[in-house]
């Protein structure tokens, strides 16, 4: 525990929280910028003396419960909360699971990419959002029974008949194993693994190999029903705090795949 760093951090964060932010009437004669010590203590459910000693770098080591309460009282964002725990000599709680909510900024980004297929998946490969170019290239995800890419890969009608599909399956399973360790208590991840192990021998074999790899940039090849084999650079933007990835498909300029993207942009309907 670094008492001096903890004290300085608490003082600086307290000064940045406006009384109105936490439903407190600031009053006309308020001298203290931000919140008063007694207000933080009340919001966190601890004594004023205890909190004052923390800010004076002479208090005891706060418990995880107290740190969590202080984080809420001071309106700390995720990085600040992590820092608070670390300077107090604690490790922050691991997130319970990937977020199912895509931020407004990411949704706006998808909409602006009118010439690039792009979509958002969570740590267990559930499709959360996609743009019109992704639909034009791969079809409407709502038309299938499941939006989980790994489930569809191992249980779908096409199976793992190509070398490309087999390689993609290897990557997905290795990525899913990494996610299962990052979110050990997430029921969605555990349920998906259990269902796949009971349904797909191909998945079970790969899972039992214990390969671990977080999926990043790769090359994606697949057979389009109208345009034949297409080759894309698959770029991955990791949204670590939400447990999500944004996947972009780009093509080499002048290639057949780039021509297909241009034609789909002019005629955004899936040619299946």
């Amino acid at each position: 525990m670094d008492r001096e760093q903890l004290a300085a951090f608490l003082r600086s964060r307290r000064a940045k929280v406006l009384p109105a932010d936490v439903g407190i009437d600031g009053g006309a004669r308020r001298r203290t910028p931000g919140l008063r010590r007694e207000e933080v203590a009340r919001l966190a459910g601890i004594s004023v003396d205890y909190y004052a000693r923390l800010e004076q770098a002479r208090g005891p080591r706060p418990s995880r419960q107290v740190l969590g309460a202080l984080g809420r009282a001071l309106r700390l964002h995720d990085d600040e909360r992590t820092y608070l725990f670390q300077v107090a000599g604690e490790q922050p709680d691991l997130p319970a699971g990937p977020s199912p909510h895509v931020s407004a900024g990411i949704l706006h980004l998808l909409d602006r990419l009118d010439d690039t297929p792009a979509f958002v998946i969570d740590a267990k490969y559930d499709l959360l959002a996609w743009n019109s170019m992704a639909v034009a290239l791969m079809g409407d995800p709502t038309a299938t029974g499941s939006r989980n890419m790994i489930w569809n890969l191992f249980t779908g009608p096409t199976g793992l008949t190509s070398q490309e599909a087999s390689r993609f399956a290897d990557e997905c399973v290795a990525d899913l194993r990494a996610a299962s360790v990052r979110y050990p208590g997430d029921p969605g991840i555990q349920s998906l693994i259990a269902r796949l192990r009971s349904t797909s021998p191909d998945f079970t074999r790969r899972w039992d190999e214990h390969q671990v790899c977080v999926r990043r940039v790769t090359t994606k090849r697949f057979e389009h029903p109208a345009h034949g084999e297409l080759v894309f650079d698959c770029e991955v933007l990791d949204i670590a705090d939400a447990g999500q990835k944004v996947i972009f498909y780009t093509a080499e300029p002048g290639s057949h795949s780039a021509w297909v993207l241009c034609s789909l942009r002019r005629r955004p309907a899936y040619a299946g």
Side-chain angles (χ1 to χ4, degrees):
M1 175 179 175
D2 189 329
R3 284 182 170 80
E4 294 293 339
Q5 290 285 350
L6 176 61
F9 183 67
L10 290 174
R11 292 193 300 268
S12 69
R13 296 307 93 184
R14 175 168 63 87
K16 291 183 177 296
V17 181
L18 299 178
D21 294 339
V22 292
I24 295 175
D25 182 5
R29 298 184 177 181
R30 194 176 190 91
R31 298 178 182 178
T32 305
L35 298 180
R36 299 187 177 108
R37 284 177 178 171
E38 59 267 26
E39 291 168 341
V40 175
R42 183 170 72 251
L43 289 168
I46 58 179
S47 72
V48 178
D49 179 66
Y50 180 85
Y51 180 74
R53 284 186 289 144
L54 288 178
E55 280 203 1
Q56 294 164 358
R58 60 185 183 88
R61 179 174 176 172
S63 66
R64 297 178 65 84
Q65 290 77 13
V66 168
L67 291 171
L70 288 173
R72 291 188 293 272
L74 295 171
R75 299 294 181 93
L76 301 185
H77 59 64
D78 290 344
D79 290 341
E80 291 174 328
R81 185 179 180 277
T82 297
Y83 180 80
L84 173 67
F85 271 70
Q86 289 173 341
V87 296
E90 293 282 355
Q91 289 299 315
D93 294 327
L94 292 172
S99 173
H101 305 294
V102 181
S103 72
I106 295 297
L107 293 175
H108 181 64
L109 174 64
L110 294 184
D111 290 339
R112 294 294 298 271
L113 293 171
D114 62 350
D115 60 349
T116 303
F119 52 91
V120 182
I121 60 173
D122 68 6
K124 61 182 180 297
Y125 281 65
D126 272 353
L127 273 167
L128 303 179
W130 50 89
N131 65 4
S132 59
M133 281 294 288
V135 174
L137 179 66
M138 296 176 286
D140 185 357
T142 63
T144 62
S146 170
R147 294 187 190 177
N148 186 270
M149 296 176 67
I150 299 181
W151 177 262
N152 292 337
L153 180 65
F154 283 99
T155 66
T158 57
L160 306 178
T161 55
S162 69
Q163 183 177 358
E164 174 66 21
S166 181
R167 182 176 66 83
F168 180 60
D170 291 339
E171 294 174 353
C172 289
V173 174
D175 200 3
L176 182 62
R177 180 170 283 280
S180 71
V181 174
R182 182 181 180 189
Y183 303 112
D186 182 70
I189 292 176
Q190 299 306 319
S191 173
L192 175 64
I193 294 169
R195 289 189 296 121
L196 282 166
R197 286 180 64 87
S198 66
T199 304
S200 171
D202 284 330
F203 174 86
T204 301
R205 176 180 60 78
R206 288 175 168 84
W207 185 259
D208 290 342
E209 290 174 354
H210 291 266
Q211 298 296 322
V212 180
C213 182
V214 177
R215 187 177 174 215
R216 296 183 175 89
V217 179
T218 186
T219 300
K220 177 71 174 178
R221 297 174 182 268
F222 66 88
E223 194 71 22
H224 191 276
H227 300 289
E229 184 182 75
L230 302 177
V231 181
F232 298 106
D233 292 324
C234 182
E235 305 287 342
V236 180
L237 172 63
D238 189 26
I239 312 175
D241 58 343
Q244 298 171 357
K245 294 183 178 72
V246 186
I247 313 295
F248 307 91
Y249 283 175
T250 61
E252 182 180 355
S255 66
H256 171 63
S257 300
W259 177 86
V260 170
L261 289 184
C262 288
S263 67
L264 291 176
R265 184 185 183 189
R266 293 192 299 268
R267 185 173 54 86
Y270 180 63

